[in-house]
């Protein structure tokens, strides 16, 4: 059975969007991790893609759901577009 491709590319942009989503809800990423049995380092490793095994992917899914998948999807798409525009400017 093949895995579906990831919806988000783990990395700095995704991590920043997730942290911002928690802040927008009056929470913190670190606080959510601690309350849900993750060390903040394990949560960060999942969002940055440093934990790409089954457990890391499951943690990333839990984090995204808790932060708000729709919010993450919208903010992530905007940030990627901004990032691409910055590269396009630099190439010109």
């Amino acid at each position: 059975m093949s895995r579906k491709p990831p919806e988000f590319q783990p990395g700095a942009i995704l991590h920043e969007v997730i942290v911002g989503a928690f802040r927008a809800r009056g929470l913190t990423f670190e606080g959510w991790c601690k309350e849900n049995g993750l060390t903040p380092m394990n949560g960060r490793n999942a969002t940055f893609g440093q934990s790409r095994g089954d457990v890391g992917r499951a943690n990333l899914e839990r984090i995204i759901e808790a932060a708000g998948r729709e919010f993450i999807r919208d903010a992530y798409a905007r940030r990627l577009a901004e990032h691409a525009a910055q590269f396009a400017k630099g190439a010109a």
Side-chain angles (χ1 to χ4, degrees), residues 19-52:
V19 169
F22 279 114
R23 284 185 186 151
R25 296 178 56 206
L27 305 170
T28 66
F29 175 75
E30 291 81 9
W32 183 90
C33 287
K34 289 175 185 174
E35 289 174 11
N36 288 276
L38 284 176
T39 65
M41 182 59 74
N42 285 341
R44 185 179 184 283
N45 286 345
T47 63
F48 272 90
Q50 295 168 328
S51 283
R52 291 187 183 251

Side-chain angles (χ1 to χ4, degrees), residues 59-72:
N59 286 339
L60 180 58
E61 282 299 311
R62 286 177 52 209
I63 292 166
I64 289 170
E65 284 300 319
R69 184 170 296 276
E70 292 298 318
F71 183 95
I72 298 295

